[in-house]
Amino acid sequence: MKKEQNSIWQFLSSVRLALFTFFILAIASIIGTIIPQNQPYEKYVQAYGAQMAKLFQVLDFTDMYNSWWFISLLLLFSLNLVVCTIDRFPNIWRLVTMDNLDTDVGRVGKMAQRTTLRTEKAAPEATAALKKILSGAGWKTTERNRDGGTLLFAQKGAWTRLGVIGVHLSILVIFAGAIIGSLFGFKGSVMIPEGAATDRIYLYDEAHTPIPLGFMVRCDNFDISFYDSGMPKEYRSELTVIKDGNEVYSKSIVVNDPMHYGGLTFYQSSYQGTQQLQAKIENLQSGNSATFAAPPRREIKWPEEGVNFGVINVEGPDFRGQYRFKIWFSDGQGSPSEFWVNLGQQAEVERQSLQAELAHVS
């Protein structure tokens, strides 16, 4: 049976099917952007209510890009592109490679866009003059003697007709990567405090299944910068890969510039400033400095400088995603100092015995 007579082939090669699947994929992508993905069920209940949270789970809206129906849409769209390309390629190739000088001469006079020029020159002279004019305009001509005259032909961008095939192939490559990644890859996350390391991540499933990495990833430093308005500008993490006890790779990662190692890609996803804090203190008189882990509501001592301090209150995040911390600071002389400092910013404290600069770095 010919393809033109095959209803299944016609369905799979139709532009309507392409538009329908593309439209549904676009709507699904919008939904997946609005609804946070791979969050605990309790968060959906708090945000949308129990009934909507249950509906989201039934429709796989909470893990949309790995759902069976989203992958099925990708497969259907991919099949549509393949069949459409196969169906249209012979005609496109014929237009690219056809011998245009074999066209019926009588057809030239019936073309919608045409101009008739008359000259008293002989045919060879008129042909040479016309070729010179076309050549000066950037047109390369071919010619053939036909029906007692000379037929000239020139065209530009014949091979651009294959551009649609290139577009189809590029979309298929992207979809193939998405489908292969969804079926055979995995996604997970882990929170690494500064100075700490991990040899595993945890999947986005209800059990938070641990996945061993086969090496250690250590966060040497985390830094956040802000715009003048207070909005976060950039998150930067200094990561080091440790394998068999040796540091084998280091990378400073920011958004859209991840670390690649061992076939895995590590992105800077988020930060959390209230679980594991770090504070750097510098004595501006002596130049001595030290960095301390500073869990909230716990006294931290710096015996070498006779300094005690602690985080006694945490506020945030505010509408800009900003945290701030209330610091208690004492050098053992007089009443302790209490002040607020924002995440990533610093404060200067003047005491009777010293002048110190305290910078909260994460």
Side-chain angles (χ1 to χ4, degrees):
M1 183 178 293
K2 296 182 180 181
K3 289 187 293 185
E4 291 79 2
Q5 299 174 342
N6 191 318
S7 59
I8 298 178
W9 185 272
Q10 287 181 339
F11 170 76
L12 292 176
S13 63
S14 67
V15 177
R16 291 183 178 180
L17 177 62
L19 294 175
F20 172 78
T21 52
F22 183 80
F23 182 72
I24 298 300
L25 285 171
I27 293 178
S29 298
I30 293 173
I31 295 174
T33 302
I34 295 175
I35 300 176
Q37 299 292 291
N38 300 296
Q39 299 295 314
Y41 179 74
E42 294 75 16
K43 287 192 175 182
Y44 295 109
V45 174
Q46 294 175 0
Y48 304 101
Q51 292 185 348
M52 289 298 296
K54 186 175 182 180
L55 179 62
F56 288 169
Q57 281 202 329
V58 171
L59 298 178
D60 282 333
F61 280 180
T62 58
D63 190 18
M64 178 176 299
Y65 304 111
N66 294 313
S67 64
W68 67 269
W69 60 266
F70 190 85
I71 295 176
S72 298
L73 282 174
L74 290 180
L75 290 172
L76 180 60
F77 194 24
S78 301
L79 183 60
N80 173 251
L81 288 177
V82 171
V83 174
C84 185
T85 301
I86 294 174
D87 189 65
R88 288 161 175 75
F89 180 77
N91 187 51
I92 294 175
W93 184 252
R94 181 184 62 80
L95 292 174
V96 171
T97 60
M98 68 182 299
D99 182 7
N100 291 280
L101 290 174
D102 195 37
T103 302
D104 184 6
V105 176
R107 182 185 170 194
V108 176
K110 299 178 182 179
M111 291 181 176
Q113 297 182 351
R114 64 182 185 275
T115 299
T116 301
L117 302 176
R118 300 185 183 278
T119 180
E120 295 181 356
K121 295 182 179 181
E125 296 179 1
T127 300
L130 184 56
K131 289 174 63 177
K132 184 177 181 180
I133 293 173
L134 292 172
S135 178
W139 294 88
K140 183 178 180 181
T141 60
T142 56
E143 63 179 278
R144 184 176 299 169
N145 294 325
R146 293 279 308 280
D147 301 333
T150 301
L151 181 64
L152 299 178
F153 177 78
Q155 69 173 343
K156 293 181 180 179
W159 292 95
T160 59
R161 293 185 174 91
L162 295 175
V164 64
I165 306 298
V167 172
H168 286 184
L169 291 176
S170 63
I171 295 175
L172 289 172
V173 169
I174 295 173
F175 281 4
I179 294 171
I180 292 173
S182 179
L183 295 177
F184 303 102
F186 60 85
K187 292 182 180 180
S189 66
V190 65
M191 187 70 71
I192 310 177
E194 279 184 317
T198 183
D199 62 353
R200 65 194 60 203
I201 64 171
Y202 299 89
L203 294 182
Y204 290 126
D205 56 14
E206 294 183 358
H208 299 290
T209 306
I211 299 294
L213 298 175
F215 51 85
M216 299 282 291
V217 178
R218 185 180 67 211
C219 179
D220 297 317
N221 184 55
F222 171 77
D223 184 61
I224 180 172
S225 58
F226 299 88
Y227 292 103
D228 294 338
S229 63
M231 293 293 291
K233 181 179 181 181
E234 181 184 72
Y235 309 105
R236 180 178 294 272
S237 294
E238 306 289 342
L239 302 182
T240 297
V241 177
I242 304 172
K243 189 170 185 178
D244 299 328
N246 299 315
E247 297 182 0
V248 296
Y249 185 70
S250 295
K251 169 73 175 178
S252 176
I253 67 170
V254 294
V255 177
N256 297 327
D257 185 17
M259 180 179 76
H260 303 279
Y261 184 83
L264 302 174
T265 303
F266 296 85
Y267 294 92
Q268 172 69 55
S269 175
S270 63
Y271 76 94
Q272 191 169 357
T274 60
Q275 297 297 320
Q276 180 67 33
L277 311 176
Q278 280 200 343
K280 179 181 178 181
I281 303 179
E282 180 181 359
N283 187 330
L284 298 180
Q285 296 175 351
S286 66
N288 297 331
S289 65
T291 301
F292 303 90
R297 293 172 292 278
R298 183 177 301 177
E299 183 179 5
I300 310 299
K301 297 182 178 181
W302 188 11
E304 292 78 5
E305 296 290 335
V307 168
N308 297 344
F309 73 97
V311 179
I312 58 177
N313 195 6
V314 180
E315 289 187 356
D318 59 16
F319 70 97
R320 298 172 300 181
Q322 177 69 281
Y323 288 88
R324 71 176 191 149
F325 307 87
K326 190 173 184 179
I327 308 297
W328 170 86
F329 187 93
S330 174
D331 59 355
Q333 300 184 25
S335 299
S337 299
E338 294 185 5
F339 54 91
W340 289 91
V341 61
N342 290 334
L343 178 69
Q345 298 181 353
Q346 60 188 27
E348 187 171 313
V349 186
E350 293 189 9
R351 302 289 298 177
Q352 295 181 8
S353 62
L354 56 81
Q355 184 180 14
E357 182 182 69
L358 187 145
H360 181 77
V361 296
S362 67

PDB file of all heavy atoms in Angstrom, residues 141-153:
ATOM      1  N   THR A 141      24.934  32.183 -13.391  1.00  0.00           N
ATOM      2  CA  THR A 141      23.983  31.623 -14.360  1.00  0.00           C
ATOM      3  C   THR A 141      24.522  30.355 -15.006  1.00  0.00           C
ATOM      4  O   THR A 141      25.725  30.138 -15.107  1.00  0.00           O
ATOM      5  CB  THR A 141      23.679  32.644 -15.466  1.00  0.00           C
ATOM      6  OG1 THR A 141      24.890  32.990 -16.139  1.00  0.00           O
ATOM      7  CG2 THR A 141      23.046  33.893 -14.882  1.00  0.00           C
ATOM      8  N   THR A 142      23.596  29.508 -15.399  1.00  0.00           N
ATOM      9  CA  THR A 142      23.881  28.373 -16.276  1.00  0.00           C
ATOM     10  C   THR A 142      23.005  28.532 -17.510  1.00  0.00           C
ATOM     11  O   THR A 142      21.974  29.209 -17.472  1.00  0.00           O
ATOM     12  CB  THR A 142      23.566  27.037 -15.573  1.00  0.00           C
ATOM     13  OG1 THR A 142      22.209  27.045 -15.130  1.00  0.00           O
ATOM     14  CG2 THR A 142      24.484  26.835 -14.386  1.00  0.00           C
ATOM     15  N   GLU A 143      23.404  27.951 -18.591  1.00  0.00           N
ATOM     16  CA  GLU A 143      22.651  28.156 -19.844  1.00  0.00           C
ATOM     17  C   GLU A 143      22.591  26.881 -20.660  1.00  0.00           C
ATOM     18  O   GLU A 143      23.407  25.966 -20.489  1.00  0.00           O
ATOM     19  CB  GLU A 143      23.301  29.267 -20.669  1.00  0.00           C
ATOM     20  CG  GLU A 143      24.727  28.963 -21.118  1.00  0.00           C
ATOM     21  CD  GLU A 143      25.311  30.093 -21.939  1.00  0.00           C
ATOM     22  OE1 GLU A 143      25.017  30.132 -23.149  1.00  0.00           O
ATOM     23  OE2 GLU A 143      26.038  30.928 -21.354  1.00  0.00           O
ATOM     24  N   ARG A 144      21.608  26.850 -21.559  1.00  0.00           N
ATOM     25  CA  ARG A 144      21.438  25.727 -22.468  1.00  0.00           C
ATOM     26  C   ARG A 144      20.662  26.224 -23.685  1.00  0.00           C
ATOM     27  O   ARG A 144      19.703  26.998 -23.545  1.00  0.00           O
ATOM     28  CB  ARG A 144      20.675  24.597 -21.781  1.00  0.00           C
ATOM     29  CG  ARG A 144      20.537  23.326 -22.633  1.00  0.00           C
ATOM     30  CD  ARG A 144      19.847  22.224 -21.856  1.00  0.00           C
ATOM     31  NE  ARG A 144      20.631  21.867 -20.656  1.00  0.00           N
ATOM     32  CZ  ARG A 144      20.168  21.092 -19.677  1.00  0.00           C
ATOM     33  NH1 ARG A 144      18.931  20.608 -19.770  1.00  0.00           N
ATOM     34  NH2 ARG A 144      20.902  20.809 -18.643  1.00  0.00           N
ATOM     35  N   ASN A 145      21.110  25.796 -24.851  1.00  0.00           N
ATOM     36  CA  ASN A 145      20.409  26.141 -26.087  1.00  0.00           C
ATOM     37  C   ASN A 145      19.159  25.285 -26.206  1.00  0.00           C
ATOM     38  O   ASN A 145      19.227  24.066 -26.190  1.00  0.00           O
ATOM     39  CB  ASN A 145      21.319  25.922 -27.302  1.00  0.00           C
ATOM     40  CG  ASN A 145      22.504  26.871 -27.298  1.00  0.00           C
ATOM     41  OD1 ASN A 145      22.381  28.012 -26.864  1.00  0.00           O
ATOM     42  ND2 ASN A 145      23.656  26.407 -27.802  1.00  0.00           N
ATOM     43  N   ARG A 146      18.015  25.967 -26.279  1.00  0.00           N
ATOM     44  CA  ARG A 146      16.738  25.278 -26.305  1.00  0.00           C
ATOM     45  C   ARG A 146      15.819  25.915 -27.336  1.00  0.00           C
ATOM     46  O   ARG A 146      15.654  27.149 -27.360  1.00  0.00           O
ATOM     47  CB  ARG A 146      16.050  25.363 -24.935  1.00  0.00           C
ATOM     48  CG  ARG A 146      16.766  24.602 -23.808  1.00  0.00           C
ATOM     49  CD  ARG A 146      16.421  23.125 -23.858  1.00  0.00           C
ATOM     50  NE  ARG A 146      14.998  22.918 -23.890  1.00  0.00           N
ATOM     51  CZ  ARG A 146      14.203  22.962 -22.818  1.00  0.00           C
ATOM     52  NH1 ARG A 146      14.724  23.219 -21.627  1.00  0.00           N
ATOM     53  NH2 ARG A 146      12.915  22.756 -22.942  1.00  0.00           N
ATOM     54  N   ASP A 147      15.219  25.117 -28.211  1.00  0.00           N
ATOM     55  CA  ASP A 147      14.154  25.560 -29.116  1.00  0.00           C
ATOM     56  C   ASP A 147      14.552  26.806 -29.898  1.00  0.00           C
ATOM     57  O   ASP A 147      13.809  27.787 -30.000  1.00  0.00           O
ATOM     58  CB  ASP A 147      12.871  25.841 -28.336  1.00  0.00           C
ATOM     59  CG  ASP A 147      12.378  24.611 -27.584  1.00  0.00           C
ATOM     60  OD1 ASP A 147      12.680  23.481 -28.042  1.00  0.00           O
ATOM     61  OD2 ASP A 147      11.715  24.763 -26.543  1.00  0.00           O
ATOM     62  N   GLY A 148      15.761  26.798 -30.438  1.00  0.00           N
ATOM     63  CA  GLY A 148      16.199  27.904 -31.281  1.00  0.00           C
ATOM     64  C   GLY A 148      16.648  29.120 -30.504  1.00  0.00           C
ATOM     65  O   GLY A 148      16.883  30.186 -31.096  1.00  0.00           O
ATOM     66  N   GLY A 149      16.787  29.032 -29.191  1.00  0.00           N
ATOM     67  CA  GLY A 149      17.229  30.162 -28.378  1.00  0.00           C
ATOM     68  C   GLY A 149      18.119  29.676 -27.245  1.00  0.00           C
ATOM     69  O   GLY A 149      18.549  28.517 -27.213  1.00  0.00           O
ATOM     70  N   THR A 150      18.407  30.546 -26.291  1.00  0.00           N
ATOM     71  CA  THR A 150      19.248  30.226 -25.148  1.00  0.00           C
ATOM     72  C   THR A 150      18.450  30.443 -23.872  1.00  0.00           C
ATOM     73  O   THR A 150      17.878  31.524 -23.662  1.00  0.00           O
ATOM     74  CB  THR A 150      20.511  31.107 -25.119  1.00  0.00           C
ATOM     75  OG1 THR A 150      21.249  30.907 -26.335  1.00  0.00           O
ATOM     76  CG2 THR A 150      21.399  30.740 -23.933  1.00  0.00           C
ATOM     77  N   LEU A 151      18.414  29.406 -23.031  1.00  0.00           N
ATOM     78  CA  LEU A 151      17.696  29.481 -21.760  1.00  0.00           C
ATOM     79  C   LEU A 151      18.717  29.667 -20.644  1.00  0.00           C
ATOM     80  O   LEU A 151      19.646  28.870 -20.503  1.00  0.00           O
ATOM     81  CB  LEU A 151      16.890  28.202 -21.531  1.00  0.00           C
ATOM     82  CG  LEU A 151      16.056  28.141 -20.240  1.00  0.00           C
ATOM     83  CD1 LEU A 151      14.972  29.212 -20.240  1.00  0.00           C
ATOM     84  CD2 LEU A 151      15.426  26.750 -20.076  1.00  0.00           C
ATOM     85  N   LEU A 152      18.569  30.746 -19.884  1.00  0.00           N
ATOM     86  CA  LEU A 152      19.452  31.028 -18.752  1.00  0.00           C
ATOM     87  C   LEU A 152      18.717  30.719 -17.445  1.00  0.00           C
ATOM     88  O   LEU A 152      17.517  30.939 -17.336  1.00  0.00           O
ATOM     89  CB  LEU A 152      19.884  32.499 -18.750  1.00  0.00           C
ATOM     90  CG  LEU A 152      20.671  33.001 -19.964  1.00  0.00           C
ATOM     91  CD1 LEU A 152      20.960  34.474 -19.822  1.00  0.00           C
ATOM     92  CD2 LEU A 152      21.958  32.212 -20.129  1.00  0.00           C
ATOM     93  N   PHE A 153      19.477  30.251 -16.432  1.00  0.00           N
ATOM     94  CA  PHE A 153      18.886  29.982 -15.118  1.00  0.00           C
ATOM     95  C   PHE A 153      19.881  30.374 -14.028  1.00  0.00           C
ATOM     96  O   PHE A 153      21.082  30.137 -14.151  1.00  0.00           O
ATOM     97  CB  PHE A 153      18.521  28.506 -14.968  1.00  0.00           C
ATOM     98  CG  PHE A 153      17.982  28.166 -13.601  1.00  0.00           C
ATOM     99  CD1 PHE A 153      16.674  28.473 -13.272  1.00  0.00           C
ATOM    100  CD2 PHE A 153      18.797  27.567 -12.639  1.00  0.00           C
ATOM    101  CE1 PHE A 153      16.174  28.192 -12.007  1.00  0.00           C
ATOM    102  CE2 PHE A 153      18.308  27.285 -11.384  1.00  0.00           C
ATOM    103  CZ  PHE A 153      16.986  27.595 -11.057  1.00  0.00           C
TER     104      PHE A 153
END
